[in-house]
Amino acid sequence: MVKKEILLIDGHGLAFRGFYALPENLCAEDGTPTNAILGFMNMLFKALDEWPSSGLAIFFDAKGPTARHLMFESYKGGRKPTPEGFKVQLPLIAELCEAMGLPVFSREGVEADDCIAATARACASDGCLVRILSADKDLFQTIDENIEVIRPSRGVTDFSLYDRRSFGEKYGFAPPLMADYLALTGDSVDNIPGVPGIGEKSAKELVGKFGSLEGIYENLETVAKARRSKLEENRELAFKCRELIVPQPTDAVPQEELEAKEPDVEKVLSLCAKLGLKKLAARFKSPEEVPAEEERGALSITEAKEVPLAELLKSGEIAAAREGEIFALADRSGRFAKFEPSRAEEAQALKEWGARGTLYLYGLRELLTEFPDMPLPPYERIRDLEAENYLLHPDRGGRSGIARAINMPLPEGRELALLLFGLCEALEREIAKDEKLERVMKEIDIPLSFTLAKMGRTGIHADAGMLSAVEGELAAHIAESETAIEEYVGEKINLSSPKQVARLLFETLRLPPIKKNKSGFSTDASVLEELAKLPEPLCTVPRKIIEYREESKLQSGFVQPFLKLAREGGGLIHSTFDHLATGTGRLASRDPNVQNMPVFGEWAERFRECFTPRSEEHIFVAADYSQIELRVLAHFSGEGKLIESFRDGRDVHAETASWVFGLPSDEITPEQRRFAKTVNFGLIYGMSAFGLAQRLGIPRPTAARIVDRYFAVLPKVKEYISGSIAEAKAKGHTSSIFGRIRPLSEVSTIEGRGNNPLDRVAVNSPIQSTASDIAKIALMKFDLALEKAFPSAMTILQVHDSIVCECRREDAEGVEKLLVDTMEAEEVLAVPLKAEPKRSASLKGL
């Protein structure tokens, strides 16, 4: 017996996908946008043509709250406001569907997904074969023997059909467990946070191995430590997320209502004429009414037309996207051309166009790094989708962040080039609402891409011979440490195994356990440090294990990978400096991370000594901002004592100690200054009295008195802390002096870290963001000035608040003065900036 086939369509989701998949400049004669309508209709008829069904229905979300909003107060609260261009088109889509005789359903207080799930299961239980057309992963839960899901996989042209077999091949677990998977990964579209730090790969492994959340938490002791701690801290959140994802019970639509009716042809044609939908109209006209050009490919996806490069370059605005070693260029009319940077005549043509044109792209810094000779317009006429998205959503940057926002993977090549105009303009409208935010993009983030790409290409020199020698000596020392411990305890221990180390310390040596975790007694760094304080000989083994771990980490994490890169790069190591990667706007470094090289200890010094100028005639010149974040705090708080101290060039930590302890500055001991310094910096990062007590090794009541005294003598600092928290929560985001924002609803990296983690973000982000932008502005200005004044010199590093360059020894004095003057020239704070210079023949001295 042939099963009755039914197609259930997620109307809202498909319309939303169509809105972002087609250019925003598609409009009717009266200016009504039509990209969502065209995208929806393309997907609808492609599905109807490919999967003819005897029953169908299209479901839309109704306005107003649903049961989920009552369950989870912030449900969908973090979504960006619905674009006005989309709002206009949604009712037109529903009106067109109804005019075409297609059953349309929208139920007050019920989400479309829930109604689709209930209807699918009811029809499947009656023996029907049900297919659900949706871009929403939630509906994968419904897949069973008689339910399949059709999901757009690329733009509005390609679909993937998932049944139980294909779903299992892709995800590695059964469809009903999709709710558990999404509870871990989260769903930014619906503002479902998931478990912070658990990505798609980890979630697949966990659900594939243990099944449901219950299975995962029952077997938590077998999960790797890093994942286990994240899961432990967010147990309640995980189950709450799953509750939001599982379909809510609701009545199914009766099968008899899933029947298409005769279309109201007159109304369809009237709407098509109004909206300029000629290809849709062609489906409802008799053959003699349809002109030949309309008949061909009726309602086919908007196809880009390839034209010669010279023809395309007549356009004033062009979008570019990589296709391997060439580029696809497109204009707003949907035309495209291929551009090969290696062809001199094409490069010259693009260069001439760049003198007048505006370029849209994704990933300016990466393009400049990989294609340094590619001719581009001045940065003022470059629109970078990556930078624009980061500016609005710094905690949701990159391709994955944009993909979550538009509910589809960001394509590549020609398809991306065609999308760039609409995507960029949607973001630019949001940015343009804030003049300061627009300036951050135009004056910092876009031009900084040129500086960072150049710095990455320049690289830093590493002496491979010296690194090789350090590797050999370090390996020998690690082996000696292992042997020494083995001889001391009389047995061989795998020092990389926490279980074996715990057994050695707490069973064999009977040392006092400090704390427990799920798998037993902890042997983390804090435990070993406490055990190392025990009297001899009890402290011997803990100290040796600390030494072993530090040496092993340095060897595997730094010496070996940097040696490999130095050999591959002919002595030069090229890092990627990324200014679009951190929530606060701080510059990041990766592949490798040259900002996080070890500093303290004998081996760290030996390692840093291996990084030298390119020749003996060269030297490193660097300068570091002195206490820049405290200076920003002084500016934000308006605290007179801090401002006066910085303006007079006094030692702010000694001054703080003097105020807190009520002693003259010249009577402050080094220990009291250390206490004050810890308090000064700790408060910026939200340190409590408990944390201060731990850091200083003093009783908690003593630490609490120090904090109280600090705020008593610096009351405006306390006012700033409480005021910045209230202001950020009222606005929904933090703001720096320059106008850089950080939406609190999107911050996920601090979940579970003690009390009031968002309060710490509200206090610290404006300070750290302001300090980092000051440093980035100085970096740009210095690099430009250095190139003009000292052409042989080069900027090679920025490590947070410091800038490092390499120059000839005879130029060192002039380069140092230029560096210090440039760093101190930015006048945005109520206190002066101070840069402290250094020179050295290796990174060891910086």
Side-chain angles (χ1 to χ4, degrees), residues 265 269 278 280-291 294:
V265 175
L269 294 178
K278 294 181 180 179
L280 176 58
R283 279 189 173 254
F284 294 88
K285 291 180 179 179
S286 60
E288 58 272 15
E289 294 179 284
V290 181
E294 289 184 17

Side-chain angles (χ1 to χ4, degrees), residues 344-618:
E345 67 277 12
E346 293 189 7
Q348 180 60 32
L350 188 63
K351 181 179 180 181
E352 293 172 3
W353 171 86
R356 59 179 174 82
T358 297
L359 182 66
Y360 291 74
L361 49 77
Y362 176 91
L364 174 61
R365 180 199 49 74
E366 183 179 348
L367 184 149
L368 290 165
T369 300
E370 298 187 24
F371 296 88
D373 298 325
M374 184 168 174
L376 299 175
Y379 71 80
E380 296 89 348
R381 284 189 276 108
I382 293 176
R383 306 287 184 265
D384 182 2
L385 176 64
E386 181 184 25
E388 292 172 355
N389 179 66
Y390 172 77
L391 198 60
L392 292 168
H393 308 286
D395 287 281
R396 294 182 180 177
R399 284 180 171 270
S400 61
I402 297 174
R404 288 195 299 269
I406 65 176
N407 200 29
M408 60 179 278
L410 191 66
E412 298 181 0
R414 183 191 318 173
E415 193 172 355
L416 173 58
L418 292 165
L419 280 177
L420 281 169
F421 295 110
L423 292 175
C424 284
E425 288 173 355
L427 296 175
E428 285 168 9
R429 282 194 292 272
E430 293 300 311
I431 294 170
K433 294 176 182 177
D434 186 333
E435 184 180 344
K436 292 180 75 174
L437 198 60
E438 196 168 22
R439 287 186 63 187
V440 170
M441 179 179 69
K442 293 180 178 178
E443 298 179 13
I444 301 178
D445 288 0
I446 296 293
L448 184 62
S449 295
F450 289 82
T451 307
L452 298 182
K454 177 185 173 185
M455 200 161 73
R457 294 194 307 269
T458 299
I460 182 170
H461 179 260
D463 190 314
M466 293 176 68
L467 278 171
S468 181
V470 171
E471 181 194 31
E473 293 176 41
L474 195 51
H477 205 272
I478 290 170
E480 289 174 7
S481 296
E482 289 177 314
T483 301
I485 293 174
E486 181 180 341
E487 291 176 350
Y488 185 87
V489 301
E491 62 177 304
K492 187 173 182 61
I493 299 292
N494 179 2
L495 297 177
S496 298
S497 167
K499 284 189 177 181
Q500 290 193 33
V501 170
R503 182 171 58 80
L504 168 65
L505 295 174
F506 308 122
E507 295 180 20
T508 305
L509 299 178
R510 297 186 179 279
L511 298 181
I514 306 297
K515 64 180 180 180
K516 290 190 72 174
N517 54 36
K518 289 289 184 180
S519 59
F521 291 120
S522 172
T523 62
D524 65 17
S526 64
V527 170
L528 292 175
E529 286 168 5
E530 287 299 313
L531 295 176
K533 296 175 184 178
L534 295 171
E536 294 280 2
L538 301 178
C539 64
T540 301
V541 171
R543 286 178 180 175
K544 287 184 179 295
I545 294 174
I546 290 174
E547 184 178 332
Y548 168 84
R549 285 186 178 178
E550 290 175 349
E551 292 169 351
S552 297
K553 180 180 179 181
L554 183 67
Q555 178 80 307
S556 62
F558 293 96
V559 177
Q560 291 175 340
F562 275 78
L563 174 58
K564 181 175 183 291
L565 290 170
R567 286 171 172 165
E568 292 173 350
L572 291 177
I573 290 176
H574 302 276
S575 177
T576 294
F577 295 97
D578 193 348
H579 60 311
L580 309 176
T582 66
T584 60
R586 252 195 165 183
L587 193 65
S589 166
R590 54 182 168 81
D591 306 323
N593 186 344
V594 293
Q595 294 182 324
N596 195 35
M597 291 194 285
V599 176
F600 302 107
E602 176 190 351
W603 290 108
E605 291 186 357
R606 290 283 306 282
F607 173 67
R608 295 175 71 86
E609 198 172 14
C610 299
F611 295 86
T612 62
R614 286 157 173 78
S615 73
E616 292 185 0
E617 290 74 37
H618 282 210

Side-chain angles (χ1 to χ4, degrees), residues 11 47 177 255 282 505 513 530 586 605 667 725 734 748 783 787:
L177 293 173
Q255 265 193 62
L505 295 174
E530 287 299 313
R586 252 195 165 183
E605 291 186 357
E667 294 182 19
I725 293 170
T734 65
S748 62
D783 189 66
E787 188 174 11

Side-chain angles (χ1 to χ4, degrees), residues 289-308:
E289 294 179 284
V290 181
E293 65 272 14
E294 289 184 17
E295 190 177 42
R296 289 194 297 267
L299 205 68
S300 62
I301 180 63
T302 304
E303 295 181 0
K305 177 184 177 184
E306 184 170 3
V307 298

Side-chain angles (χ1 to χ4, degrees), residues 203-228:
K204 277 185 181 180
E205 291 177 4
L206 290 166
V207 177
K209 185 175 182 180
F210 302 115
S212 65
L213 290 181
E214 287 82 0
I216 293 170
Y217 280 99
E218 286 171 5
N219 294 277
L220 209 54
E221 70 280 356
T222 67
V223 176
K225 182 179 179 182
R227 291 180 184 173
R228 184 169 66 242

Side-chain angles (χ1 to χ4, degrees), residues 626 631 643 645-649 824 826 829-834:
S626 172
R631 293 172 191 267
I643 292 173
S645 180
F646 281 123
R647 284 178 176 171
D648 293 346
E824 294 182 349
E826 194 70 20
L829 303 181
V831 299
L833 294 169
K834 176 69 175 173

